[in-house]
Amino acid sequence: ANGNVVLQDEIQNYSISAEEITYYKNDEKIISKGKTSSIIQSKYSINSSDILFLINDGILSSGNHAILKDNNSNIYNLDNFSYFIEEEQLKGTNIVAISNYQLPKSDKLYFKNAIIDLKNNNFIAKDTKIEVHNDVFGNSDNNPRIKGVSSKKVGNVTTVKKGVFTSCNKDQNCPSWSIKAEEIEHNKDKKQIIYDNAILKIFDLPVLYFPKFFHPDPTVERQSGFLTPQINN
């Protein structure tokens, strides 16, 4: 079919729109050419090009750039993707995930590659960078961020392996302070950020070593524990 083609399945609740769509009946697969828009389960919209849809397996994929949006103001940019309809699972490379897109308190997550459970908001990823919204610690001049070689989120617990955390302004060539740890865990149930084998660096100079410590997460106004370092006159 050619020219403003719309393929719609009301039972499985999805639709695919493209300039050209080819249906291979024996293989139960669909291939589109050119720009393609898909709406899945009335929850997710995917814009990409030259997609492959394996109907029996429920897998939608493309080797080209894609943008996925959900109904909760989350957006995912990917160099390529595979989406598993029944599991509501997204796989891809060079992913930029943005929460609360174009809204206050928007966070960005960068993954080299990842498997993302969109239904439960969990993920497992490689080469992670997390940029938290600037005023999370009550100071809009901060740029809180975490880098790590890998990360995962299960429920309310996010873990970053071999991570580095700082909230110093990005304009600084060398952050005035940072914490490097074998593992950084954010537990939303405990409202704590927990570090294993951590080193506190001041201007990239190791100052203190902690086998283990924690401090309250940004949702806590006051709690005993490690205080965020500040450089003062």
Side-chain angles (χ1 to χ4, degrees):
N2 293 278
N4 296 322
V5 185
V6 178
L7 182 151
Q8 189 166 359
D9 188 324
E10 294 183 354
I11 296 174
Q12 298 299 325
N13 192 11
Y14 66 78
S15 66
I16 301 172
S17 305
E19 281 301 307
E20 180 177 329
I21 289 179
T22 303
Y23 170 47
Y24 296 85
K25 186 174 181 179
N26 291 338
D27 298 326
E28 283 297 303
K29 71 178 182 181
I30 291 169
I31 293 177
S32 74
K33 287 188 178 180
K35 293 182 178 179
T36 306
S37 299
S38 308
I39 299 175
I40 311 296
Q41 298 169 335
S42 302
K43 293 181 181 180
Y44 310 107
S45 66
I46 304 174
N47 292 312
S48 186
S49 60
D50 302 336
I51 69 158
L52 167 64
F53 180 35
L54 302 177
I55 298 173
N56 291 337
D57 295 327
I59 301 175
L60 192 74
S61 64
S62 174
N64 299 321
H65 178 262
I67 298 175
L68 183 148
K69 298 179 182 178
D70 68 14
N71 291 338
N72 296 316
S73 299
N74 298 312
I75 186 169
Y76 303 84
N77 283 274
L78 313 94
D79 277 1
N80 53 67
F81 82 98
S82 295
Y83 177 72
F84 299 80
I85 293 177
E86 185 174 350
E87 296 85 356
E88 296 184 39
Q89 189 178 88
L90 179 68
K91 293 183 180 179
T93 60
N94 295 324
I95 302 170
V96 180
I98 306 173
S99 65
N100 296 321
Y101 182 64
Q102 293 184 334
L103 296 172
K105 297 183 179 180
S106 177
D107 302 330
K108 290 184 179 181
L109 295 86
Y110 302 82
F111 305 129
K112 181 70 175 178
N113 52 62
I115 302 171
I116 302 172
D117 178 354
L118 299 176
K119 183 191 295 186
N120 300 303
N121 197 26
N122 294 329
F123 62 80
I124 181 168
K126 183 180 179 182
D127 293 341
T128 300
K129 181 181 177 182
I130 301 172
E131 294 182 351
V132 186
H133 55 281
N134 289 4
D135 60 351
V136 68
F137 292 113
N139 184 350
S140 59
D141 292 331
N142 285 342
N143 292 125
R145 56 200 183 275
I146 301 175
K147 286 185 179 181
V149 298
S150 65
S151 63
K152 68 176 180 179
K153 180 180 180 294
V154 180
N156 286 327
V157 179
T158 302
T159 305
V160 178
K161 297 287 188 180
K162 295 184 178 179
V164 179
F165 169 73
T166 184
S167 63
C168 295
N169 197 295
K170 288 182 181 179
D171 294 336
Q172 300 172 349
N173 292 327
C174 179
S176 57
W177 71 271
S178 65
I179 300 174
K180 183 178 181 180
E182 283 293 315
E183 181 177 290
I184 302 174
E185 177 186 294
H186 181 200
N187 191 315
K188 288 186 177 180
D189 294 327
K190 294 181 178 179
K191 297 184 178 181
Q192 292 178 348
I193 299 176
I194 304 164
Y195 301 80
D196 285 339
N197 293 321
I199 296 174
L200 171 64
K201 292 185 176 183
I202 305 296
F203 291 106
D204 215 27
L205 180 68
V207 174
L208 293 172
Y209 167 74
F210 300 89
K212 194 176 188 75
F213 74 92
F214 75 92
H215 62 75
D217 75 5
T219 64
V220 178
E221 291 185 5
R222 187 176 182 87
Q223 188 182 74
S224 63
F226 186 82
L227 300 179
T228 304
Q230 282 184 286
I231 301 297
N232 295 296
N233 293 329

